[in-house]
Each structure stands twice: as C-alpha cells, then as structure tokens.
Amino acid sequence: MKFIHLADLHIGKRVNEFSMIDDQRYILEQITEKVKEDKPEAVLIAGDVYDKPLPPAEAVKLFDDFISALADTGTDVMVISGNHDSAERLSFGSRIMDKRGIHFVGGYDGETHKVTLKDEYGCVNFYMLPFIKPVHVRSAFPDDEEAQNLSTFTEAVDFAIKKMDVDTSERNVLIAHQFVTGGERSESEEISVGGLDNVDAEVFSTFDYTALGHLHGPQNIGNETIRYSGSPLKYSFSEVTQHKSITEVKLGKKGGKSAVESLVLEPIHDMKELKGSFYKLTNNDYFKDIKTDDYIRIILTDEEDVIGALQSLRAIYPNIMRLDYDNERTRSTMILPDTEGNDLRTPLEIFESFYESQNGKAMDDEQTEIVSELIGKVWGADK
Amino acid sequence: MRPLRLCITGFGPYKEKTELDLASLGKGGLYLVTGDTGAGKTYIFDAITFALYGEMSGSGREAKTARSQYSDPGEITEVELDFEYQGKTYHVVRNPEYIRAKKRGEGTATEQPGATLSLPGGRIVDGSSKVTEEIKQILGIDREQFRSIVMIAQGEFREVLNSSTDERIKLFRKLFNTEPYDRLASELGRMGKEVREKYDRKMSDLRSAIGTADCSFDEELETRLEAIKDTDTPSMESISSLLEDAIEVVTKKAEINAKDLEKAETELTEASNRLALIDQYKENLDFLENAKNSITGLDEKIKATKKALDDSETDKKQIDKLKSESALIEGSMDSYDKLDAIVKELDETNTALDEKTGKLEKAEADKKTAETLYSNLLKEKEDLRYSGENLARLRNELERTVNRISILETLLNEIEKVKGLEVDLKKEQDELKSLIDRAAKIDAELTEMRTAYLREQAGILASDMEEGEPCPVCGSKHHPEPAVISEGAPTAAEIEIKEQEAKTAHDDANEKSNSANKIKGNLNASLFSAKEIALKETGADDLDEAKAIAVRDKAVLEEDLKKYRSDEKDLEKQSRRSEEIDPELKKAKEDLDDLIKETNELNNDLTKLNASADGVKQRKIDIKKFLLFDSKTEAEERIIEIEEEIKSKNDAIKKRSDAYNEAVASKKANDARIEELEKVVEGFKQDDEEEAREAGYNAQQKKNSLNELKIHLGTCKMACNGSLSKIKEIEEDLIKIRKEHEVIDSLARTASGSLSGKERISLETYVQTYYFDRVIKRANRRLVMISGGQYEFARSDVSRDKRSHYGLDLEVVDHYGGSRRPVSTLSGGESFIASLSLALGLSDEVQASAGGIRLDAMFVDEGFGSLDSETLELAIRTLTELSGDDLLVGIISHVEALRTRIDKQIVVTKDRANGSKASVFIL
C-alpha cells in the first residue's frame, strides 16, 4: 500500500503582505505531477487546507483545481479539516464525493469516518480525525460521563481514538491535525490562545502510521510512524532552513517494516535571509550570484538607520518581505529597562542634575540648603 | 482590578437582568466580547466603567442616556459589579439618573444617580460621588487615568497617542507619584514670590520714607527733594546727602529764630506791664464811685430794720396771753380724768346690756319650741286612746280564722287518708287476686301431678317388678310388656313438694285476704268520718266536692290570716307607743315651765341695766358742762399747740433785731472804704492807654509769627531726621532682600520650567521623562514585534515652539524609511497597534515601578477590524504574551477570525423586541 501524506497547504495565505497564491499553484501542480508519476493508492491531506475559515475565491478555485486533478489520477483522496479551516465549509458535498473516492471530513460527531482500502496483505483502515478540541468531544457525547470530564487535548484525542474501536489485527492509519508534544514549532503556526494544546504521542500507539498536520516543519515524533509532513512552502522566516517536502509511505504487512520517504519540493521563490551592511548588500558583487527575486528578509547591521533603505533595497530585491536591523539599538530594545537610575537617586540629586542641565552651572551652597530643606518638608508631609 | 461578576439591568440594550460570571474567565489571558453590531458589546465595558466611576468608557457616551429603551417604566436601571483588588473583594451597585414610573400614583419621577459600595470588612459607602471618590482611593487611579491605561475605548485610542505634554504630565503625575516634584516647584515659586513681594514692600517703604521728609523751609532744597521723589528708583546717596544738607540748614535757621523770639518776648512783657497799671487805676475809680452810691441805701436800711424791731411789742403781748390759756387748761386736767372714767363705765354698761338682750332673745325662742312640742304630744295621746280595743278585737278575729283553717286541714287530711286507703285496698286486692290465681294454678298442677303419679303407678310398680315376681295388680309372674314410666313423671317426693307449695300459696292468699279486709274496714271508718266532717264544714256530701271547697276556703282564709297578722303588728306598735307617751308629755311640760321662768328673769335684768345706763349718761353730761374739750387727749394737744406758737413768735422777734444790727455795721464799713480809695486814686500817674495797647499788640504779633516759624523748623528737622534714619534702615534690608531674591528666583524658575530663552521643561516633567523613557522602551518591545521591526517610539527632544511645555511628546521612528515622523502620520491600523503598544507599555511600567498600582485587567474596544490578517495575528500574539497568567485582557471585536482563535468569550445576542442577552462561554 503506497500513499502520499501532505498537510498545511494554507491556500490563499499572505505572508508579509505578499500573496502566495502563485507559489502555491506552482507547488500544487508539482505535487500533482509526483502523484501522477508514483501512482499511490491514496493521498492524505492532514488539515489546514486553507489559511482562513473564509478563504478568498481564488484559493477555493485553486484547491478545486488541485482536487480535481488528483481525482483524475484515480487515487483516493482523504482530506481532514485543520484548525484554520472551517470544518463545515470544507466538507461541503462530502457525502456525494465519497462515492468517487474523494473523502472530506470536517466536523466531529463521535463517529470517525473510516475508509478501508485493500492491498495484497489485506485491509488498511484509514481513520480520518479532523482537528478537535476537548469541547468538541464533550458536545459529541453529552451523556457520557467520562466524556464530560475531559479537559486536556491528550485526553480528548485519546477518548476519540478509543471510540474508534480499532481492530489492531488489521493495519490502521490515522490522519489527524494536532500539536503533538515534542514537535518543533515554526513561527507561522498559530498557537492556541491559552497555551496547552499539545497531545502526547502515546495516544497514537495503536496505529501503524499517523499522518499528522499542523506543524509546518517536516518531522518525526519519536519514530517515523508518527510524522508531520510539513507545509509544502516556507511560510515564515523561521522555516528558511527547512527543506520542504511531501511524505511517501509504503506500508508493508502487519508487523512488518514500512518505508517512509520525503519527496523534496522546489518552489518558484525560496525564502531566505540576508544579513550585512547596507553597503555590502547593495554591492553588485554580492548579489550578482544570488537569486534576488526570492522572498528575502534583509537584516542590516548598520548602526544608524539608513534613509530610504527599503526603497533602495527593493530596487535590487523586488520581493523583499522584511527589513530588520541588528545593531546596538535593536539589541538594547530587547533588554528590559532596569530598575536602576532614578529610583535610587534622591530627590535632591535629581534636582541638582536638573538645575545644572538647565542653567549650565551647579547650585551654590545656599541654594542647596534651601532646596534640601524644602524637600524634607514636601516629602515629609507625604508620610 | 479584576472584575468577578457583572450584573446589568435595564442598561443599554440589556432589558432583563443580565448576569455575567467574569470570574470564570480566569486571572489571565485573553477573552473576546463578540456579537452583532449594536448588540451591546461596548455597553459591557461601559457598565464596568460606570460601576466604578459613574461614567461611561468613551467620551460622547453619557450615563444619563444609558437607561435601556426596552425597559418598562416600572423596571429599574442598575449595574452591579463585584471586583477583586489586591486580594480583597469589593461590591459596588450604581444607577444613573433616569425616569421611571412613580411608586405611588400616576406619572413619572426622576430617579437620582445613586451608588453603594461594600468594602471588605463590612463598611458601606453610600452616595454617587462618595463611592467614586472611594474607588479612586482604592484603585489609585481616577477615570481619566483609567481611560488611558486600562480601558482603550472605541475610536479613542488615538487620544492616548496624540495627547500633549500637559495632559501626559497630569497622567504620569498620578501614575508615577511625581507630585512631590510639582509641589517642590510650586513651593519654590511661592518662596520666590514672597521674596519679590518683600522687595516691593521695601521699595514702597522707601518711597514713603522719602515722602515724610520736609524741606519746605528752603526753596532750593525743596526742588531737589521733588526731583528725587519723581524718580522711580531713587538712589540712596542723593537722598542721604540731601537730607543731611537739609538738617544742617534747618538747624541754623532755628538758632536765629530762637534769638529773635527772645527779643520779642521782652518787648511784650513791657507792654503788658504798662497796660496792667492802667487797668488797675480804672478799676479803683469804679470802686470809689460804687461805695459813694451805696451810702443812701445803707441809711434807709437802718431805718427800716429799726421800725420792724419796734413792732415786736405786739407780739410780746400775744405771747403772754397764750401762756395764761395754757395754764388754765393745765388746771382742769383732773376733771378730764374723771370724764374719761365715766366714758369707760358707760361703755361697760352698754356691753352688759347687749349681752342680756341676746340671752333674752334666745330664751324666747326656746320657749316657743317647747310649747309646740307639748301640744303635739297631747294630740298624739288622744289618737292612741282606742288602740288597745282595736287590738283585742283583731286578735279574736285572728284566732277564729286559725281555727277554721285547722278544721279545713283536718278535713283535707281525712279525705286524703280515705283516698290512700282506697289505693291500698286496691293494691291488696290485686295482690290477693294474683295470689289466688297462683294458688289455683299450683292446685291445678298438683292435681295434674297426682293424676300423673297415679297413672304412673303402674309404671312404678312395673319398675319395681322383677321377672318372675308376681305383679301386684294381676299377680302374673310373667311381664311381657311392663308399663313404662313416662318422661316427666313426678315422684312422690315431687308431689309432696308441690303439695307444700300449694299450701303455702293458699296461706299467702288467705293472709292477703285478711289484710285486705282489714284495710277495707279502716277505709270504711275513715270514709264515714270524713263524710261527716265534710258535710258539716262544707255542706257537700261528695268527698271530692268537699275537698275542692275546702281547698278554696282555706286559701281565702289564709289570705285573711296574713292580713290580720300584719294589722296585728301595727296595732301592737301603737299600743306600745301609748305607753311611752305619758312620761314624754310630762317632761315636755316641765321644760316649758322652766323656760317661761327664765325669760321672765331676763326681762327683769334688762330693765335694771337700762336704768343704770341712763344714770351714767346723766353723770357724763354734768361733767362736760365745765369742760372745753371732749377728752383729755384733746386738751393735751391744745397745750402743745400753744407752746409752738409762742416759740415761733419769739424767733421772729430775734430775727428783726439781728437785721438791724447788721445794717448798722454795713454802713460803718462802707464809710471806711471810701476813705481808703480816695487816698489811692490821688497818688496815680497818668498814662496814654491807647499807645500802650498798640505796643502790646505789635509785640504779640511778632512773637506769634516767630513761634510759628520755630514750630515749622522743628517739624521739618524732625521729619528729615526721621526720614534719614528710616532710609538708612531700609537700605540695609534692601541689600539683604536683593541677595535672597537672586538665590531663590533662579531655583524657582528652573523648577517650574519658566527660564526665559530655555526650553520649557519643569522639574516634574524632567522626572517624568525618565519614566516616559522606560514606558517607551516597554512599548517599543511590542511595537517592534507587531510592526515587523518597522516602527518604534521615540521621545521628541525639541518642543515645537519655545512657549508651551514640552518633554513628553512622542514621535515615531520609521526604520524602513529611516526617518522620524509625528505620531499623527500613522494610518488607522498603525495607530491602533501603536496605541495598543503604548498602553501595554504604560501599564507594564506602572506595575513595575514602586507606585503600587496593580492592573489586573485591561479592556480594548474594537480597532482590530482595521488590521489585516497578519497584523491581527501579531496583535493577538502580543496580547496573549502580555497577558500571561496575571493580566486579563478583554477585547471587543466583531472580527470573525478572532472568534475561532480565542476560547474564552462573552457572546452578546441582539433581540430587537426584548433587548440583548449576554453570556459567558468557555470553549
């Protein structure tokens, strides 16, 4: 059984005010080509198809094109909704499309949709678990006491899995969209407001392979049977060092070995960072050898702000996404103001330095005496 | 300030009492207030602000109009808030002004704004402004500060960003406790002002001291003085020298004047002397004339007094006469004594007379009474004469009646007896019958039993019979069918018993018969006697009839009896009385006789007394013939009168003689005087009066004017002296003050930021800039993050103009362009994130500094709609990071994306008919 696992398409996303739609179109076409080549039995899309619950029209059109193209290859397609998707909208027409082997799962009502495919070794059950929070599980089982007491994500997912009644004698694959403990986060993921949304990896132990979505960096959790395919494109500058890919899994017989392989993707525009002084980066020698139309974050090391830096740089790097400075000033911005300074200066000292700065000379003794007496009076009255 | 529970009634779109459990939102993190436009999201923040400060969250929203349009007139408008601050829980209830239905009667009334605050520990604060004040104390910030750092109201976030230095000064003063610096500056200012005032006062003292100088004695000096007075700031030297000169001049002048004065004095004295002599001469002449004139008068006086003295003779004669009268009266004193005695006797007699008369009258009265009593008794006795007879008669009648009654009773008894016996007889007879019947019955039974017995003989015999034994009847030895004793056959014994029974029965019957007969006998006897009596007494034969009559008669008689008995009582009384009356009669007669005797006696006495009284009267008349006065007292009075008259006459005589002597002496004196004066007049030297007078007058005038000059000079000298010394004093003081002024002025001006030519930054602001820098630093951390490194805040170093205060003005640094711009150049969305960053930085710093004000909650009303999705994401991230575990940030937004991002929500739904509803959801 061969299937392809991808996730976190975020179709329609804008990064630093740049629309990624064209890059996405390019990469999805690339993926379609690979599918045509390898002819897997199934393509699993583990959530976050769109970037917003109400995606823009062009995003919907692009995804429509993509799914249709996949469907034309004859492969089964299984899509679950992620935390960015609107579950109901995504699963529009799912019951009709089911018949054609295109499976959409949006909401969770207690029953996990299962797709069973056969290979030479027998059945493979694909369980499609969309993004759930404890509240979803609770509302799916209003009469179940155990369900009502679920509070953490781990407990909720564990409960949902138990309810699937997995037959461990057969091969089982789970498609899920969660943040699993131990996973490495990237800047472009959305953290849950509240924080503790992670699921322990143990809950997936019943499955022969868990196709995860949510984290944008391709990575295994523990071993390769619990894996994030990662996003097909780099969506933030924290991902610049990653190699974007889709995952291809060849599932052996039960208990046997499986092969997990990354198929690398090549985008139109890469995302990278360039650091240096303004002079250096605008030097012909520097940029003549690099792809200047990539999505770039430029970090200037000049101590002072360069006037019209952005404009000038844009002339060379048309797709400059961000401009940052790394100098004394920015480093000090990050340091919190300390509690020294005024708090430890007495009112008299403050007055003295103030007087000096305003009058150009210090106070004489008589003045000092008058002021300190007054200070005693004014501050004393407060106590 | 962390809100725990909010309860809104009739406020904004919330008609029904809407309760929100805000404590369930936790202590930190974000929560979202979401709902349709106009559903009432902002009103939730308004409610919180209103509960605390009595005002709404944004300007332009008024508490007065907060009452829900959905509320019925009878419903209330009220906001309740439980909040926690520094570990303690507070409860505040507040209502705005609104119009509601009257509680009694028709029409509407205005409910005044009111509030109540319950403090931990039980104390209650009541009253809208008091509660607001208390809340200010508790939280440490007032509404304005609250608006700046805790509640970012809709559309108003720009204000925090764009406020001027003056406004920031006020805000920071409260937040960072920089007020003491402000006070220091104003103290210094006050001191400076004091010094200036002292200086001014001293200057005016100087001017008035100059004013007191007087140089009017010398023209030149005067001119100089005037010139000095005209200058504003006269120099000390010119004044001093002028005054010194003046003093010199005036002293000299005074000396000259003194000499002149002496001279004039001498002249005057001479002139006066001359005049004095002339006056004296004139006087003497007058005296002489007067004395000469009075000679005639004196002579006449002598004549007159002499004459008067001679007339006294008449008076002497009168005196003698009076003396003899007095002696006469003295002589008859004895007679007067006698007269008095007689008068006394007469009085006594009259008294006795009166007494006797009184007694007589009384006796007469008593006599009359006794007479009446006696005649009454006589009459009574007459009446009682017959009573005895009547009584005897009555008693007879009474006895008769009693007898009759008893006879009738006897009759009735007899009749009763008869009746009784009849009854008894019947009874006996009945019993007899029954007994006879019983006996008969028993007889019958006996007969039956006997018959049966006899019949059973056969059986009895048979029972005794033995087979083989011969039958007593037939002798047969064979008994094939012996007679059987039938059931119930009586035995001989039974028969015997029965026979006994029968006998007893018959005996009883016989007995009974006897007794019946006896009774019958009695009955007959009684009947006979009763009938007899009846016939005799009532004339009736029939007993019943007789009984009726007897009863009737008896009743009548008993009535009569009653009456007789009562009459008997009366008569008995009467007869008793007639016995009593005789002694009484006797006594009455005796009394009467006594009284008659008495009255007669008294009459006699009276006559005697009258006679003696007449005698005394006569005696009195006799004596009086010889006397002039009625009593001794009167006589004595007359004697005294005479003595007085004599005395006065004597006095008059003496006076006249004195007058005469005096007149003589006067004349003598006058003559002597005339002699003397003539001598003096002769020896006088004539002088010209007119000339002397003139000389004197001139001298006087001269003296006067010289005196005036002296005074004038003296005054001027004093004035100048005084002025000089005063001025010297003032000079010293002025030096001191000028020095003081120098010292303080610069301090004051520096502290208040009013040094001319310098940028206007006050001490307080200087201190505040330090804090402001820190705030900016904190704000920048967020701004940098949200703006992707593009923007940062900076404090502007230069004021826009040198007139208004500066120091806390804000600018924005655009790193992308490398320029600095005013904050107002930011776009809407950029302004929002900038002000959000600033508010976050400010609240951060406030908490970190030693101010002690803790902000546990923040509220951001809208603004997120102006952000694109990326910036929105960054904003949410910033807020989440900031909020952490101990700051609860509430945001109002209708942005759809936030709904899915934020788990804790207050959802407000609008119902056009019934007002909005809100509730807390934790997903």
Side-chain angles (χ1 to χ4, degrees), chain A residues 56-92:
Chain A
E58 54 188 7
V60 177
K61 176 128 195 353
L62 175 55
F63 187 58
D64 185 28
D65 292 338
F66 177 60
I67 291 293
S68 308
L70 287 179
D72 285 342
T73 65
T75 183
D76 268 51
V77 180
M78 295 177 225
V79 183
I80 60 166
S81 68
N83 58 313
H84 279 258
D85 300 312
S86 162
E88 293 78 10
R89 290 191 185 87
L90 186 66
S91 54
F92 175 79

Side-chain angles (χ1 to χ4, degrees), chain B residues 86-145:
Chain B
Q86 293 193 342
K88 300 203 196 110
T89 320
Y90 300 80
H91 175 78
V92 60
V93 180
R94 199 190 282 261
N95 66 281
E97 181 185 311
Y98 64 95
I99 298 182
R100 57 159 171 81
K102 278 208 188 119
K103 283 187 185 135
R104 278 190 289 269
E106 295 283 313
T108 57
T110 308
E111 182 78 25
Q112 290 304 317
T116 317
L117 170 66
S118 309
L119 296 150
R123 189 164 78 97
I124 306 273
V125 176
D126 197 48
S128 184
S129 39
K130 282 205 195 97
V131 168
T132 309
E133 202 47 51
E134 190 74 28
I135 299 253
K136 267 200 234 180
Q137 295 292 327
I138 294 167
L139 299 182
I141 49 174
D142 63 19
R143 188 202 151 220
E144 291 310 310
Q145 285 131 16

Side-chain angles (χ1 to χ4, degrees), chain B residues 515-542:
Chain B
S515 74
N517 284 337
K518 221 194 284 172
I519 289 176
K520 186 153 187 195
N522 285 342
L523 174 65
N524 285 338
S526 295
L527 191 65
F528 186 68
S529 75
K531 278 204 170 144
E532 217 175 61
I533 299 175
L535 193 63
K536 185 167 150 225
E537 296 304 325
T538 61
D541 200 301
D542 182 63

Side-chain angles (χ1 to χ4, degrees), chain B residues 510-668:
Chain B
N510 284 338
E511 220 176 283
K512 191 55 63 167
S513 172
N514 287 338
S515 74
N517 284 337
K518 221 194 284 172
I519 289 176
K520 186 153 187 195
N522 285 342
L523 174 65
N524 285 338
S526 295
L527 191 65
F528 186 68
S529 75
K531 278 204 170 144
E532 217 175 61
I533 299 175
L535 193 63
K536 185 167 150 225
E537 296 304 325
T538 61
D541 200 301
D542 182 63
L543 284 182
D544 287 323
E545 206 185 308
K547 180 174 171 186
I549 293 173
V551 165
R552 197 191 65 210
D553 286 349
K554 182 164 164 236
V556 171
L557 286 171
E558 276 174 343
E559 277 300 312
D560 289 343
L561 189 64
K562 261 199 216 129
K563 182 166 173 306
Y564 290 153
R565 282 211 197 282
S566 84
D567 287 346
E568 185 188 16
K569 274 203 184 70
D570 288 341
L571 285 173
E572 276 176 348
K573 231 198 288 186
Q574 280 190 354
S575 96
R576 272 200 303 275
R577 180 85 189 111
S578 74
E579 278 162 25
E580 280 167 7
I581 209 166
D582 283 331
E584 271 180 28
L585 204 56
K586 192 159 161 248
K587 184 164 177 306
K589 181 94 174 61
E590 280 172 16
D591 288 340
L592 184 61
D593 289 337
D594 285 338
L595 280 168
I596 290 173
K597 205 162 112 209
E598 201 183 318
T599 49
N600 288 340
E601 266 178 38
L602 285 171
N603 268 322
N604 288 340
D605 288 340
L606 203 60
T607 318
K608 264 195 233 146
L609 275 174
N610 272 325
S612 88
D614 287 339
V616 173
K617 274 191 198 133
Q618 190 60 43
R619 282 197 348 254
K620 179 176 168 191
I621 292 172
D622 290 338
I623 284 202
K624 268 203 82 174
K625 274 191 206 141
F626 300 112
L627 295 170
L628 290 164
F629 300 101
D630 289 333
S631 70
K632 185 171 174 193
T633 328
E634 274 184 45
E636 281 173 342
E637 274 172 14
R638 177 73 189 133
I639 290 174
I640 290 169
E641 237 179 74
I642 290 172
E643 277 175 6
E644 274 178 26
E645 233 181 281
I646 291 174
K647 185 164 177 295
S648 75
K649 282 210 185 322
N650 275 331
D651 285 339
I653 291 170
K654 187 162 186 312
K655 246 201 251 166
R656 285 189 210 117
S657 113
D658 284 341
Y660 173 71
N661 288 336
E662 211 185 290
V664 167
S666 296
K667 172 139 171 93
K668 237 173 146 175

Side-chain angles (χ1 to χ4, degrees), chain A residues 98-166:
Chain A
D98 238 8
K99 299 181 174 66
R100 258 213 65 181
I102 312 295
H103 312 279
F104 281 90
V105 171
Y108 177 73
D109 61 356
E111 290 278 327
T112 308
H113 189 76
K114 185 172 81 173
V115 177
T116 309
L117 299 178
K118 283 194 170 49
D119 72 352
E120 64 274 34
Y121 302 110
C123 300
V124 179
N125 301 312
F126 290 88
Y127 288 92
M128 299 172 67
L129 182 66
F131 173 69
I132 52 166
K133 290 200 238 196
V135 63
H136 298 125
V137 180
R138 282 201 295 268
S139 46
F141 296 96
D143 301 322
D144 189 318
E145 207 187 297
E146 194 193 334
Q148 292 309 313
N149 288 333
L150 297 172
S151 55
T152 66
F153 276 73
T154 307
E155 284 169 5
V157 172
D158 192 35
F159 185 84
I161 290 173
K162 280 204 181 58
K163 284 285 183 203
M164 290 177 204
D165 260 336
V166 173

Side-chain angles (χ1 to χ4, degrees), chain A residues 7-20:
Chain A
D8 296 294
L9 306 181
H10 288 280
I11 302 175
K13 188 171 174 68
R14 293 175 81 87
V15 180
N16 289 99
E17 291 149 34
F18 279 82
S19 168
M20 305 295 280

Side-chain angles (χ1 to χ4, degrees), chain A residues 16-17 133 187 189-191 305 307-308 310 323 329 338 340 342 350 353-355 358-359 367 382, chain B residues 180-181 183 187 743 746-747 750 758 761 763 766 770 774 792 815-818 870 877 901 903:
Chain A
N16 289 99
E17 291 149 34
K133 290 200 238 196
E187 226 182 275
E189 288 134 17
E190 201 179 78
I191 46 168
D305 287 1
I307 315 271
L310 191 59
L323 177 63
R329 173 186 60 77
D338 53 20
E340 278 176 30
N342 265 31
I350 294 171
S353 68
F354 177 58
Y355 186 87
Q358 288 290 87
N359 288 291
Q367 285 175 319
D382 274 348
Chain B
Y181 292 98
R183 276 221 291 282
E187 271 300 304
V743 165
S746 73
L747 284 176
T750 310
K758 291 272 181 204
I761 172 169
L763 172 67
Y766 176 76
Y770 167 73
R774 288 164 65 104
E792 257 190 281
H815 289 303
Y816 281 20
E870 269 191 272
R877 218 175 274 204
R901 286 287 279 120
D903 289 336

Side-chain angles (χ1 to χ4, degrees), chain A residues 160-174:
Chain A
I161 290 173
K162 280 204 181 58
K163 284 285 183 203
M164 290 177 204
D165 260 336
V166 173
D167 180 0
T168 45
S169 67
E170 294 178 338
R171 285 164 298 167
N172 302 297
V173 173
L174 176 69

